[in-house]
Each structure stands twice: as C-alpha cells, then as structure tokens.
Amino acid sequence: MTYPLITRTDRAPQPTRKTTYASDVDIKTEIRDFLTSRRARITPEDVGITSFGQRRVPGLRREEVATLAGLSIEYYNRLERGNLGGASETVLDALADALRLDDAERAHLFDLARASQPASRRARRATTSNVRPTVQWMLDSMTTAAAFASNGHLDVLSANQLGRALYAPMFRDGPRSANWARFVFLNRDAHEIYTDWDRAAKETVALLRLQAGANPHDRALTDLIGELATQSEEFRVLWAAHNVRLHTKGVKRLNNPIVGELELHYDRLDLTADRLMLFVYTAEPGTRSAESLALLASWAASEAGGLTRERSARSPRPHGSRLAPPRL
C-alpha cells in the first residue's frame, strides 16, 4: 500500500523540507504509527496508573500497554514494530482492550493484522466500478430520499434524482468528480455545501483510512490517497492522525443552493455481493428539513421533466407522424 510520507531533509547541509510519496511502504510502518498514536492518547490516569515525575513520552509507555494487555514487554515491542502477522485473535483483542479502541479502531487493527500475512498480497476481486440495473432501479424508486451507491474508493457510482440535486456541484464536472473524498478536499463548493466542513473532512479521511487498512494493496486506492495528499494540506494533516471511523449512520447538515439548510439523517446499507455501499439520506417528518427536501425533490423532478421535453422537441419526428391530441 502506498501511503504518504513526510520526508525530512532539514539536516545540514540541506535546511529545507519536502514531501515525498514512497512507491511501496511496508505495512509495518502503518501498524507502528497506528499503535503509537493510540498509545499516545491515553494518559496513565485514564487507566488507573499512578504517574511519578516527568514523563518523556505522551500517553502510556510501551511497558504499561504490555502490562494492561497481559503481554510481555518484549512481545509488545515486537507488535509495535509492525509484526502483527502471527498475533492470535486473543492477543489482538487484549491489545484493543488495553488501548481502548472503539469498534472502528478494533476492526482496523484486525485488518492490519490480516494485511501482515503473506497471503494478503494475493489477487483480490477488483473494486466495483458500476452498478447493476436492479440497484439503479432501487435508487430511482426512492423519490422522497436522496440515495447514493459508492464503492470502497468512495466513488459515487450512481445516485437517484434527489441525490444529484442535493450534491449538484459534485456531479457538475462529470463522472470523475463524483467521489466523496475528491469533492470534500479538492472542490471549493464543498465548503459551501457542508455547514461543518471540518467535521466532514475528518469523517471522510477516517473512512478512507479504514478502507486502506482493509485493502492495503489496492493500487487505485493508493493513487487516490496520493492524489489527495499531494493537492491538499488539510488531507495530509488529517491522514497523519491515523483516525478511523465506521460510517454507518449519522446526521448531515448541508446548505443546498436551491432550498438552503438541511438536517438529514443518513444510513448505510451494504450490498455484499456487489461490494457496494448504499447511503440513504432522509429528513425527520414534520420538520423544516422535511419540507425543504420535498421542495428540492419537486424542483429536481421539474428540471428533469423540462430537460426531457426539451430533448423531445429537438428530436425529429418520423415522416407522416402527427402529435397526439391533448388528453382532457
């Protein structure tokens, strides 16, 4: 997996810094940085350890984590150096408990352990790049909710009419722009769409980091991460934090250019056979957001109908055909 690295070149006689991207970073680096960052955020007081004197490292020491996990110091040091491949589920669970990992972080730890196995480099199924007609029919049948189908690269492979209206700037520049991560970090309109852009950015990076841990040798995912890290300072900072998150449900606060502010609830549904994620946005009935979402749906339907009529008017009619009489 290719991860962005900050390479320091500020040693004499080169006093400057530059950012480089390695062509192949060992998964051990990812494991080491993740475990170190999780260890650093826990204070001795958090786990009932009495601390004496000044500590040289933030958070817990390695030996303290080892004690909490019931492991020898030597074995924990080996794990933190990136050697998770031979660790049993019992050891991983104990380590997750000691570091107080949440569900997303625990899943990420197990993903990293699997990625440490030599077999993880075997060919995997390619990430889905299109949707089946029946999936599109399902999206289109949701007329009062905005719905999207995405893959592990966060490409928005399809959306229903209301979904395209809700995130109109993301679909404006064609299929390549329809990617959640690119939209958030590389499209200035995202700062207008998201009322809390910082939160949206953190959630996007955390989801992308989780996907990267599960698919560490996915070249397209690697390229996406490199592209974002090269072009966005905000992305680089958030990526270095090693935070992960399960993006299954929550609330989105958006500012749509047509109907204004919206507070929408989203739920994620996984299509396992297709390796797709469906995101459905709905509004609480009886609220102002529900009225605004209904108005946006009506506007989108009207726009789509107008476009259809315009195309129909431009299309030549077969010779001898005549317009049908109006229905009264």
Side-chain angles (χ1 to χ4, degrees):
M1 179 70 186
T2 304
Y3 294 114
L5 297 177
I6 304 299
T7 301
R8 297 188 58 179
T9 59
D10 54 350
R11 299 174 183 174
Q14 299 174 327
T16 59
R17 297 185 180 185
K18 65 179 181 179
T19 302
T20 62
Y21 299 93
S23 60
D24 184 21
V25 176
D26 196 301
I27 194 66
K28 289 183 178 181
T29 302
E30 175 71 4
I31 294 170
R32 182 197 65 203
D33 292 346
F34 177 66
L35 292 180
T36 301
S37 66
R38 301 308 93 172
R39 175 166 60 86
R41 70 181 181 177
I42 303 175
T43 67
E45 291 74 21
D46 289 336
V47 293
I49 296 177
T50 303
S51 180
F52 299 97
Q54 186 173 1
R55 299 170 68 89
R56 294 185 299 172
V57 296
L60 297 179
R61 299 187 177 100
R62 291 187 183 90
E63 55 268 25
E64 291 168 339
V65 175
T67 300
L68 291 170
L71 307 173
S72 68
I73 296 175
E74 293 77 10
Y75 186 50
Y76 176 74
N77 286 339
R78 177 187 168 191
L79 296 179
E80 195 171 286
R81 285 195 295 267
N83 298 306
L84 280 182
S88 66
E89 290 189 8
T90 301
V91 168
L92 294 176
D93 279 328
L95 184 56
D97 290 340
L99 293 174
R100 297 192 168 188
L101 303 186
D102 62 22
D103 290 342
E105 292 166 333
R106 186 181 294 264
H108 188 56
L109 177 66
F110 275 76
D111 283 337
L112 293 176
R114 280 189 289 270
S116 300
Q117 303 287 349
S120 68
R121 290 186 176 273
R122 296 173 183 171
R124 297 183 179 220
R125 289 174 53 194
T127 298
T128 302
S129 58
N130 50 42
V131 298
R132 289 183 289 110
T134 53
V135 174
Q136 185 63 57
W137 301 341
M138 178 170 57
L139 295 177
D140 291 338
S141 71
M142 301 179 191
T143 57
T144 60
F148 312 87
S150 301
N151 62 14
H153 299 163
L154 305 191
D155 297 319
V156 186
L157 302 178
S158 186
N160 65 359
Q161 188 171 271
L162 182 51
R164 290 190 294 272
L166 185 63
Y167 283 96
M170 183 167 64
F171 295 96
R172 183 181 298 151
D173 300 326
R176 180 171 170 75
S177 68
N179 176 283
W180 294 115
R182 286 194 184 97
F183 177 64
V184 169
F185 289 99
L186 305 183
N187 191 322
R188 297 181 64 86
D189 289 325
H191 290 268
E192 301 297 327
I193 291 289
Y194 293 105
T195 59
D196 188 349
W197 183 88
D198 290 339
R199 177 184 173 184
K202 290 176 182 177
E203 290 178 347
T204 301
V205 172
L207 179 58
L208 198 59
R209 170 71 78 174
L210 192 65
Q211 291 291 327
N215 304 281
H217 310 301
D218 187 325
R219 180 59 183 271
L221 187 57
T222 291
D223 291 344
L224 173 62
I225 293 168
E227 174 189 350
L228 296 171
T230 300
Q231 300 186 38
S232 171
E233 173 66 22
E234 293 94 339
F235 179 86
R236 289 196 294 273
V237 171
L238 293 173
W239 185 259
H242 287 268
N243 292 326
V244 292
R245 183 176 184 272
L246 293 174
H247 201 64
T248 56
K249 62 180 180 178
V251 176
K252 296 283 186 182
R253 293 177 176 84
L254 308 174
N255 184 24
N256 183 268
I258 303 299
V259 298
E261 293 187 1
L262 293 160
E263 181 176 282
L264 303 177
H265 298 260
Y266 71 87
D267 289 276
R268 167 182 154 183
L269 309 172
D270 290 333
L271 295 182
T272 306
D274 298 87
R275 304 186 74 190
L276 288 177
M277 301 174 287
L278 296 187
F279 292 96
V280 181
Y281 291 36
T282 55
E284 182 180 350
T287 63
R288 180 184 176 280
S289 291
E291 295 176 358
S292 297
L293 191 63
L295 178 61
L296 183 61
S298 177
W299 176 88
S302 175
E303 288 290 300
L307 183 60
T308 299
R309 289 190 295 271
E310 181 181 345
R311 288 174 177 172
S312 177
R314 291 199 304 263
S315 300
R317 293 189 297 274
H319 178 69
S321 65
R322 63 180 62 185
L323 294 175
R327 298 180 60 184
L328 300 180

